[in-house]
Amino acid sequence: MTGALVAYRWELRKLVSQKRTYIGLGAAALLPVIFVTVMGLQKGGPYDAPLGHNLRRTGLVLALVVLNFVSRFGAQLAAALVAGDIVASEHTGNTLKLILTRSLRRGQILAGKTLASFTYVVATLVVLGVAGLVGGSIAWGFKPLTNLTGVQLSALHTLWLSAVALGLFALPLIAVAAFAIMLSTWTRNSAAAIVGTLVYALGQEALAGLVHQSWAKDYLLSDQFDGWHGVFMSPVDWTLVARAAWVSAIFTAVPLAIAYVVFKRRDVADD
């Protein structure tokens, strides 16, 4: 475990030094600002979005409404940009041999890279949440919110639930990052891993649109991006919340297990 933490610190330092790391963070900070600006220039709004009926009534809803729009592509792109490159870049830069000469096992190195990728996912959502809170509060105030079942929640309670919602949204996004790590390990090519991850995410969206059985769509990873809706219902819809957790866990564990096997067995003599 100590070795994995050492590798994790190495990978965090690498991420901080790379320009692409800030693409997702910058977009996450700008999206709420752009959204508020557009809303200020028009009278209507996406009131049919989950919690969208609260727009212009409270700023606490801004980040959550933005999540609804980025969940289908933007969030996956941000995760793929970092996770899809984190192993493949070592092959491109011919640095994998050097890393493997250090006193760390391969599993520890992959664990460090995985933790760094997941940290980036969480950091991106935190930036989005903070930017949404600040921008929304300036525009519409720090006021109570009416949840999805018509119950009014206090501003502080809403703030707490928003943090929980961001955490739930992070679960399927981490699963997308896990798939990108698998492709990054398998293909040794950053572009292939990033594009492949986006195809994977969009393919699930397409499949959800084609499958007419709700029981089948409920267990696609794409459907778990809506799991946070459960905490904004009265009473809380624990079925939605629990399903988002365990389905995302499966979609995370399987790619990581494959990545571990591939990375463990990889012959780097020709890298």
Side-chain angles (χ1 to χ4, degrees), residues 67-215:
L67 276 183
N68 183 67
F69 292 97
V70 302
S71 64
R72 302 307 178 217
F73 182 76
Q76 288 92 326
L77 175 59
L81 281 173
V82 169
D85 179 68
I86 201 159
V87 178
S89 62
E90 304 292 358
H91 297 282
T92 303
N94 295 318
T95 55
L96 187 57
K97 289 180 181 178
L98 176 62
I99 291 176
L100 293 177
T101 60
R102 295 171 176 172
S103 57
L104 293 178
R105 296 190 296 272
R106 291 194 182 196
Q108 293 173 330
I109 293 171
L110 185 61
K113 291 180 176 295
T114 299
L115 289 173
S117 298
F118 291 175
T119 299
Y120 177 78
V121 167
V122 173
T124 302
L125 292 177
V126 169
V127 170
L128 174 65
V130 172
L133 175 63
V134 173
S137 297
I138 292 173
W140 303 316
F142 189 80
K143 301 174 183 178
L145 172 145
T146 302
N147 72 6
L148 296 174
T149 51
V151 176
Q152 190 174 77
L153 307 175
S154 69
L156 288 177
H157 189 199
T158 298
L159 185 61
W160 159 246
L161 291 180
S162 297
V164 174
L166 287 171
L168 287 171
F169 188 89
L171 298 179
L173 194 56
I174 282 173
V176 171
F179 187 84
I181 291 169
M182 181 193 74
L183 288 185
S184 184
T185 305
W186 199 342
T187 66
R188 312 187 198 187
N189 185 291
S190 299
I194 293 169
V195 173
T197 301
L198 294 179
V199 171
Y200 168 74
L202 294 176
Q204 291 215 33
E205 291 289 342
L207 185 59
L210 293 173
V211 176
H212 298 293
Q213 300 295 324
S214 60
W215 63 267

Side-chain angles (χ1 to χ4, degrees), residues 24-35:
L25 296 176
L30 283 175
L31 280 174
V33 177
I34 294 172
F35 195 94

